Amino acid sequence: MKKIVVTNDDGLFSPGLHLLYEAVRGFGEVYVVAPMESRSAIGLGLTLHKPIRVSEVIVNGIRAYGINGTPSDAVHVAYDVVVGEFDLLLSGVNVGANLSLQDILASGTLGAAFEAAFMGIPAIAFSADVPDEKQFLDERYRRYLVESIRAIVEFFVEEGFPRGVDVVSVNFPRTISYKLRVVPPAKRRWKQKLDKRVDPRGRVYYWLYGEQLEPEPGTDVYTVLVEKHIAITPLTLSLTSPRVELRIPEEIMSGER
Amino acid sequence: MKKIVVTNDDGLFSPGLHLLYEAVRGFGEVYVVAPMESRSAIGLGLTLHKPIRVSEVIVNGIRAYGINGTPSDAVHVAYDVVVGEFDLLLSGVNVGANLSLQDILASGTLGAAFEAAFMGIPAIAFSADVPDEKQFLDERYRRYLVESIRAIVEFFVEEGFPRGVDVVSVNFPRTISYKLRVVPPAKRRWKQKLDKRVDPRGRVYYWLYGEQLEPEPGTDVYTVLVEKHIAITPLTLSLTSPRVELRIPEEIMSGER
């Protein structure tokens, strides 16, 4: 019997978490361990400087463990406190897509998945390009996500991850499509800009915002935003390229002085 | 004349920032743009939901721009508000090493470097395996860092980054060594654990902490902590491996229903 941990970064009360649980509860012993509150854009943040509390709660009929921490904390709480060793980490469904390396590296949904991957546990992160969580309550869209997630998780439970894949990121389009594309992440989705304003006291301040770049065909961004299909993005825990060579002569340092 | 931006995640008052500035001010127009306060372990976090203010200040004789934001925000403030286009981003010197992919993905020092790399700007992150910032005030150690950073930056300013390198992460050992090793990051440095406690009111809480794993020879962790030399780690903005292939048959989805 597989042990599966479900977490997210929008918090225990997000309908995205509940539909993920509903999609996979037939696949084994499923445990829900998640932040009590939304911890979006936290990346791989860990709570090292304050105590973590774990509360067993029932949310919408599901037994869950809520923590006052980050999605990455939740993975450790699951492993060390609630479940012990487990076989699969599922994270999401995030309100909003996590497309491009830029989003992936900053996302808490992916952060939890990477955290599990560091422990050698396969992880799948789910995100949907919805404007807000209300779309998860639309019965047709909700059924679409539940059925698709079930099919995708079933595939990976049976086949396992290919060698070299540590995390799989799945992004759903805003409108229903059952077409799957296996695509790499774009490098960049946003060009950040600062918008200058003046407050009532005459002092300058800025809003940082992201302007979307033209999506490049063959990437996750293009698949989800332009073609409007499901993007499946296999990720490898590595920021080094075997083809890169850097040589620095020892002589650039003038030696012990 | 090169335009260089210096930032960090320990904040404008960290002596690590000042020695980095001192090391490189001869190489061009050098601008200091950094968080006012320590924003460690923030990764690539951006401040999107509150206004950013920029203050021109003089800290220890250096003109600097302080922001109420993250290291990644600082890169955008530099580009959009303070400097315009620039040629090189330097981040650090961080109090504490940033070794292994695990540290790299969570670090604000590296986060700023990645942010610049997404914009196509080469970036070098500097970190030192010191217990606290007091070691930066030790005159011998400080001179060691200044001289080493100067030599390393000079090398990259003259040679450029090899093709495929987006960010270079440099980690200094706790004791003085001028030996350089070009090494990949270890995947993992820490095994996280939770330490169970009971508060005076009888309620359980946990401290999350990292237990250091045995360092693997040939990695950044081994170089800095065991051999005690300088680790130079070239990084590529990519989480995909060209050798990995994932095939999912379309039939796993039962199609439009």
Side-chain angles (χ1 to χ4, degrees):
Chain A
M1 188 77 159
K2 293 239 178 256
K3 288 190 179 174
I4 298 173
V5 171
V6 170
T7 192
N8 76 344
D9 79 346
D10 292 320
L12 216 48
F13 299 98
S14 168
L17 183 71
H18 292 261
L19 70 82
L20 177 53
Y21 174 82
E22 187 188 325
V24 302
R25 66 177 164 187
F27 291 126
E29 279 176 44
V30 181
Y31 298 84
V32 178
V33 186
M36 297 286 255
E37 289 174 13
S38 172
R39 299 301 294 263
S40 284
I42 191 76
L44 280 89
L46 287 174
T47 303
L48 300 173
H49 303 292
K50 58 179 195 179
I52 296 174
R53 294 192 187 262
V54 183
S55 312
E56 207 177 322
V57 289
I58 306 284
V59 186
N60 297 337
I62 299 171
R63 178 189 310 276
Y65 297 85
I67 63 161
N68 61 329
T70 70
S72 290
D73 293 340
V75 174
H76 296 296
V77 168
Y79 192 91
D80 238 36
V81 178
V82 176
V83 187
E85 290 193 14
F86 56 92
D87 304 292
L88 181 64
L89 186 279
L90 303 175
S91 181
V93 178
N94 190 62
V95 176
N98 281 305
L99 299 165
S100 84
L101 205 52
Q102 220 178 6
D103 279 8
I104 288 168
L105 289 176
S107 156
T109 307
L110 270 297
F114 287 128
E115 202 68 37
F118 277 123
M119 299 158 71
I121 299 168
I124 311 176
F126 295 96
S127 314
D129 180 40
V130 294
D132 54 48
E133 63 176 39
K134 267 181 267 162
Q135 191 164 333
F136 288 155
L137 304 174
D138 173 84
E139 207 29 65
R140 236 183 115 233
Y141 191 77
R142 183 187 167 86
R143 211 176 56 231
Y144 158 63
L145 290 186
V146 167
E147 286 173 353
S148 305
I149 290 169
R150 195 170 285 153
I152 292 165
V153 172
E154 188 174 18
F155 173 79
F156 284 114
V157 164
E158 281 173 10
E159 302 284 325
F161 281 6
R163 200 181 154 78
V165 174
D166 296 308
V167 166
V168 172
S169 177
V170 179
N171 278 278
F172 293 100
R174 190 168 295 196
T175 47
I176 292 172
S177 161
Y178 288 92
K179 282 210 175 17
L180 298 177
R181 297 278 178 269
V182 178
V183 276
K187 200 176 221 181
R188 196 178 176 197
R189 178 178 173 189
W190 309 101
K191 183 178 164 60
Q192 260 78 30
K193 297 204 165 182
L194 287 142
D195 187 21
K196 186 174 178 174
R197 304 283 175 92
V198 179
D199 74 16
R201 294 157 68 200
R203 296 191 315 167
V204 169
Y205 66 96
Y206 300 88
W207 288 108
L208 185 61
Y209 67 102
E211 214 174 64
Q212 195 152 290
L213 296 166
E214 189 67 42
E216 205 184 313
T219 64
D220 59 346
V221 183
Y222 195 84
T223 299
V224 174
L225 303 186
V226 181
E227 298 182 304
K228 300 196 183 343
H229 297 320
I230 304 169
I232 311 259
T233 301
L235 299 169
T236 302
L237 269 182
S238 163
L239 285 168
T240 45
S241 161
R243 290 169 304 191
V244 164
E245 239 186 280
L246 170 64
R247 285 178 197 283
I248 306 185
E250 282 279 346
E251 305 85 75
I252 75 161
M253 313 294 275
S254 6
E256 294 293 339
R257 268 151 271 210
Chain B
M1 188 76 159
K2 292 239 178 257
K3 288 190 179 174
I4 298 173
V5 171
V6 170
T7 192
N8 76 344
D9 80 346
D10 291 320
L12 217 47
F13 300 97
S14 168
L17 182 72
H18 293 261
L19 71 83
L20 177 53
Y21 174 82
E22 187 188 325
V24 302
R25 65 177 165 189
F27 292 126
E29 279 175 44
V30 182
Y31 298 85
V32 178
V33 186
M36 298 284 257
E37 290 174 13
S38 172
R39 299 300 294 261
S40 284
I42 192 76
L44 280 89
L46 288 173
T47 303
L48 300 174
H49 303 293
K50 58 178 196 179
I52 296 176
R53 295 191 187 263
V54 183
S55 313
E56 208 177 321
V57 289
I58 306 285
V59 186
N60 298 338
I62 299 171
R63 177 189 310 277
Y65 297 84
I67 63 160
N68 61 329
T70 69
S72 290
D73 294 340
V75 174
H76 296 296
V77 168
Y79 191 91
D80 238 37
V81 178
V82 175
V83 187
E85 289 194 14
F86 57 91
D87 304 293
L88 181 63
L89 187 279
L90 302 176
S91 180
V93 179
N94 191 61
V95 176
N98 281 304
L99 299 166
S100 84
L101 205 52
Q102 221 179 6
D103 278 9
I104 288 169
L105 290 177
S107 156
T109 306
L110 271 297
F114 286 127
E115 202 69 35
F118 277 123
M119 300 158 69
I121 299 168
I124 311 175
F126 296 95
S127 314
D129 180 40
V130 294
D132 54 48
E133 63 176 39
K134 267 181 266 163
Q135 192 164 333
F136 288 154
L137 304 174
D138 174 84
E139 203 35 58
R140 234 183 115 232
Y141 191 77
R142 184 186 166 87
R143 210 175 57 231
Y144 158 63
L145 290 186
V146 167
E147 287 173 352
S148 304
I149 291 168
R150 195 170 285 153
I152 292 164
V153 172
E154 188 174 21
F155 173 79
F156 285 114
V157 163
E158 282 173 9
E159 303 284 326
F161 282 5
R163 200 181 155 78
V165 174
D166 297 307
V167 166
V168 172
S169 177
V170 179
N171 278 279
F172 293 99
R174 190 168 296 196
T175 46
I176 292 173
S177 161
Y178 288 93
K179 283 210 173 19
L180 297 178
R181 296 278 178 271
V182 178
V183 276
K187 201 176 221 180
R188 197 179 174 195
R189 178 177 173 190
W190 309 100
K191 184 178 164 60
Q192 261 78 29
K193 297 205 165 181
L194 286 143
D195 187 21
K196 186 174 178 175
R197 304 283 175 94
V198 179
D199 73 17
R201 295 157 66 201
R203 297 191 315 166
V204 170
Y205 66 96
Y206 300 88
W207 288 110
L208 185 62
Y209 67 102
E211 214 174 65
Q212 195 152 290
L213 296 166
E214 188 65 41
E216 205 184 314
T219 63
D220 58 347
V221 183
Y222 195 84
T223 299
V224 174
L225 302 185
V226 180
E227 298 181 306
K228 300 195 186 337
H229 297 320
I230 303 169
I232 311 261
T233 301
L235 299 169
T236 302
L237 269 182
S238 164
L239 285 168
T240 45
S241 160
R243 288 169 305 191
V244 163
E245 238 185 283
L246 169 64
R247 285 178 199 281
I248 307 185
E250 283 278 347
E251 306 85 74
I252 75 160
M253 312 295 275
S254 9
E256 294 294 338
R257 269 149 270 210

